[in-house]
Short mmCIF file of all heavy atoms in Angstrom, two decimals:
data_model
loop_
_atom_site.label_atom_id
_atom_site.label_comp_id
_atom_site.label_asym_id
_atom_site.label_seq_id
_atom_site.Cartn_x
_atom_site.Cartn_y
_atom_site.Cartn_z
N GLU A 202 20.68 37.23 16.90
CA GLU A 202 19.27 36.83 16.86
C GLU A 202 19.05 35.72 15.83
O GLU A 202 18.24 34.81 16.05
CB GLU A 202 18.40 38.04 16.55
CG GLU A 202 18.33 39.05 17.69
CD GLU A 202 17.67 40.36 17.28
OE1 GLU A 202 17.69 40.68 16.06
OE2 GLU A 202 17.18 41.08 18.16
N THR A 203 19.75 35.80 14.70
CA THR A 203 19.62 34.77 13.68
C THR A 203 20.16 33.43 14.17
O THR A 203 19.59 32.37 13.88
CB THR A 203 20.34 35.20 12.39
OG1 THR A 203 19.78 36.44 11.92
CG2 THR A 203 20.19 34.14 11.30
N GLN A 204 21.25 33.48 14.92
CA GLN A 204 21.80 32.24 15.50
C GLN A 204 20.81 31.62 16.48
O GLN A 204 20.61 30.40 16.49
CB GLN A 204 23.13 32.54 16.19
CG GLN A 204 24.26 32.87 15.22
CD GLN A 204 25.53 33.30 15.93
OE1 GLN A 204 25.52 33.67 17.10
NE2 GLN A 204 26.64 33.25 15.22
N ASP A 205 20.20 32.46 17.32
CA ASP A 205 19.18 31.95 18.25
C ASP A 205 18.02 31.33 17.48
O ASP A 205 17.50 30.26 17.86
CB ASP A 205 18.67 33.09 19.14
CG ASP A 205 19.69 33.53 20.18
OD1 ASP A 205 20.62 32.75 20.47
OD2 ASP A 205 19.55 34.67 20.68
N LEU A 206 17.60 32.00 16.39
CA LEU A 206 16.51 31.49 15.57
C LEU A 206 16.84 30.11 15.02
O LEU A 206 15.98 29.22 15.01
CB LEU A 206 16.21 32.47 14.43
CG LEU A 206 15.17 32.02 13.40
CD1 LEU A 206 13.79 31.91 14.05
CD2 LEU A 206 15.13 32.99 12.22
N ALA A 207 18.07 29.93 14.57
CA ALA A 207 18.48 28.63 14.02
C ALA A 207 18.33 27.53 15.07
O ALA A 207 17.82 26.44 14.77
CB ALA A 207 19.93 28.70 13.53
N PHE A 208 18.75 27.81 16.30
CA PHE A 208 18.61 26.82 17.37
C PHE A 208 17.13 26.53 17.64
O PHE A 208 16.74 25.37 17.83
CB PHE A 208 19.28 27.32 18.65
CG PHE A 208 20.78 27.32 18.58
CD1 PHE A 208 21.49 28.47 18.87
CD2 PHE A 208 21.48 26.18 18.25
CE1 PHE A 208 22.88 28.48 18.81
CE2 PHE A 208 22.87 26.17 18.19
CZ PHE A 208 23.57 27.33 18.47
N TRP A 209 16.30 27.57 17.66
CA TRP A 209 14.88 27.38 17.95
C TRP A 209 14.20 26.57 16.85
O TRP A 209 13.36 25.72 17.14
CB TRP A 209 14.19 28.73 18.14
CG TRP A 209 14.46 29.36 19.47
CD1 TRP A 209 14.60 28.71 20.67
CD2 TRP A 209 14.65 30.74 19.75
NE1 TRP A 209 14.83 29.61 21.67
CE2 TRP A 209 14.87 30.87 21.14
CE3 TRP A 209 14.63 31.89 18.96
CZ2 TRP A 209 15.09 32.10 21.76
CZ3 TRP A 209 14.85 33.11 19.56
CH2 TRP A 209 15.08 33.23 20.95
N ILE A 210 14.53 26.86 15.60
CA ILE A 210 13.93 26.11 14.49
C ILE A 210 14.26 24.63 14.62
O ILE A 210 13.38 23.77 14.44
CB ILE A 210 14.40 26.68 13.14
CG1 ILE A 210 13.75 28.05 12.88
CG2 ILE A 210 14.07 25.72 12.00
CD1 ILE A 210 14.25 28.74 11.63
N GLU A 211 15.50 24.32 14.92
CA GLU A 211 15.89 22.92 15.08
C GLU A 211 15.17 22.28 16.27
O GLU A 211 14.74 21.13 16.20
CB GLU A 211 17.40 22.82 15.24
CG GLU A 211 18.16 23.15 13.96
CD GLU A 211 19.66 23.01 14.12
OE1 GLU A 211 20.19 23.45 15.17
OE2 GLU A 211 20.31 22.48 13.22
N ASP A 212 15.04 23.04 17.37
CA ASP A 212 14.36 22.52 18.55
C ASP A 212 12.87 22.32 18.30
O ASP A 212 12.26 21.38 18.82
CB ASP A 212 14.57 23.45 19.74
CG ASP A 212 15.98 23.36 20.32
OD1 ASP A 212 16.69 22.39 19.99
OD2 ASP A 212 16.37 24.27 21.07
N ILE A 213 12.27 23.22 17.52
CA ILE A 213 10.85 23.07 17.18
C ILE A 213 10.62 21.77 16.44
O ILE A 213 9.66 21.04 16.68
CB ILE A 213 10.37 24.28 16.33
CG1 ILE A 213 10.27 25.53 17.22
CG2 ILE A 213 9.01 24.00 15.68
CD1 ILE A 213 10.10 26.82 16.43
N LYS A 214 11.55 21.45 15.55
CA LYS A 214 11.46 20.18 14.81
C LYS A 214 11.69 18.99 15.73
O LYS A 214 10.90 18.04 15.74
CB LYS A 214 12.48 20.18 13.68
CG LYS A 214 12.68 18.83 13.00
CD LYS A 214 13.88 18.84 12.08
CE LYS A 214 14.26 17.43 11.65
NZ LYS A 214 15.47 17.41 10.78
N GLU A 215 12.77 19.04 16.52
CA GLU A 215 13.16 17.88 17.31
C GLU A 215 12.31 17.69 18.55
O GLU A 215 11.87 16.58 18.86
CB GLU A 215 14.65 18.01 17.71
CG GLU A 215 15.61 18.04 16.54
CD GLU A 215 15.59 16.76 15.73
OE1 GLU A 215 15.25 15.70 16.29
OE2 GLU A 215 15.93 16.82 14.53
#
Side-chain angles (χ1 to χ4, degrees):
E202 290 169 336
T203 301
Q204 290 174 342
D205 288 340
L206 175 66
F208 288 126
W209 283 324
I210 288 175
E211 290 182 317
D212 286 345
I213 288 168
K214 169 191 167 182
E215 298 297 334

